[in-house]
Amino acid sequence: MKRPAANAILQPGFKFEDMGIGGLDAEFSAIFRRAFASRIFPPGMIEKLGISHVKGMLLYGPPGTGKTLIARQIGKMLNAREPKIVNGPEILNKFVGQSEENIRKLFADAEREYREKGDESGLHIIIFDELDAICKKRGSSGGDTGVGDQVVNQLLAKMDGVDQLNNILVIGMTNRKDMIDEALLRPGRLEVHMEISLPDENGRLQILKIHTAKMQENKVLDKDVDLAELAALTKNYSGAEINGLVKSATSFAFNRHIKVGTVAGISDDIENLKVNRGDFLNALT
Ligand code: ATP
């Protein structure tokens, strides 16, 4: 499919239900309204209104709640290039002494493409996972060498430069919003902030449905499994933990079909494998 212009993009036929994200409909629709709606305005509308696209957002909340999932799906929805995902600690540690250069490089492809194609350029998404590791409040690093401060400064400079470009969206993710340098969170930088919390019971049910969908489709989920019951029993579980629970239940089911004798093997009735309520309850303990 032809890559559309940076300021007029929405993957045709894209449906929220197909994204594989459970329990975050309200958050996703708020993000859409606050951060992306302008990208699908009719051409010229942005100029008419005298505004610019949102260039950065921050997703924050506990681990495993779907922040990365959302960031990736935003890319798909906006028909963007494959996002560059960078891990905060990695950028600091992997190439010691080159952190600023690494940040600069991250933006280089998008900058080059925008110079060449202007608004015909595809959208580039840069995702910073564990942003708190590189963007701590400046001066808060105590005895360190100030490398962190330089990285924050470099990122701020880049974010300000992005203002001239329409084809970049920066998504920061963190479990510790309180630790992020406030200058980075101002309008024009990571300006849209969205909390992604642990799912409530209904959210957990949606997530369980997503992660057992294949089993249901292939009829390997036993009829005695009641997902609503499991949603009630998984209070305080994150989406990632629910995913882990489903995997663990599957391995309990699988274990029933493993023969361990002189030679370990799989029992003949493997084709009848079903994941049942007991497997989930075992996985919960
Ligand atoms: P971290 O803060 O640790 O980086 P995160 O919030 O970015 O975590 P993800 O990496 O998006 O979490 O989630 C890990 C996995 O957990 C996902 O790949 C997915 O399988 C599952 N998961 C998490 N949240 C959801 C959700 N809301 N719906 C469906 N699956 C989810």
Side-chain angles (χ1 to χ4, degrees), residues 20-22 24 62-69 129 175 207 210-211 239-240 243:
I21 304 176
L24 292 171
T65 43
K67 297 182 288 299
T68 313
L69 212 53
D129 194 9
N175 310 138
I207 297 171
I210 289 168
H211 289 288
N243 187 16

Side-chain angles (χ1 to χ4, degrees), residues 256-276:
R256 281 198 300 280
H257 295 270
I258 292 181
K259 293 188 293 193
V260 184
T262 36
V263 182
I266 307 292
S267 64
D268 298 336
D269 61 348
I270 184 72
E271 291 301 326
N272 302 327
L273 181 139
K274 290 232 189 248
V275 185
N276 63 31

